[in-house]
Amino acid sequence: MKLSCRAASRLISIGMDRPLGMGELLKLKMHLALCGNCRQFSRQLDALRDAARRAGRGGDASGD
């Protein structure tokens, strides 16, 4: 079953909160291999999460 971008973005977001199941992860990885927009969305969410973690520790968002 092919994963839509909407479903992929939902799984990307869910994956931030909990580990994805094997089936979810496989479908998402297959989709990301083919979809540059969703790969970019995933990278952007990772960057936002990392920046929020640094800010929570008192660091700045530049990574210094």
Side-chain angles (χ1 to χ4, degrees), residues 6-24:
R6 180 180 294 225
S9 63
R10 201 172 302 135
L11 282 177
I12 292 166
S13 296
I14 290 169
M16 296 288 206
D17 297 328
R18 66 162 174 84
L20 296 177
M22 188 61 71
E24 293 171 321

Side-chain angles (χ1 to χ4, degrees), residues 28-61:
L28 180 58
K29 285 191 177 285
M30 289 175 58
H31 182 87
L32 292 176
L34 301 172
C35 184
N37 290 331
C38 288
R39 277 194 308 274
Q40 181 65 25
F41 177 69
S42 181
R43 285 192 293 264
Q44 289 171 340
L45 278 188
D46 284 339
L48 284 171
R49 180 187 58 204
D50 292 343
R53 285 181 178 163
R54 283 192 303 274
R57 292 190 308 256
D60 63 22

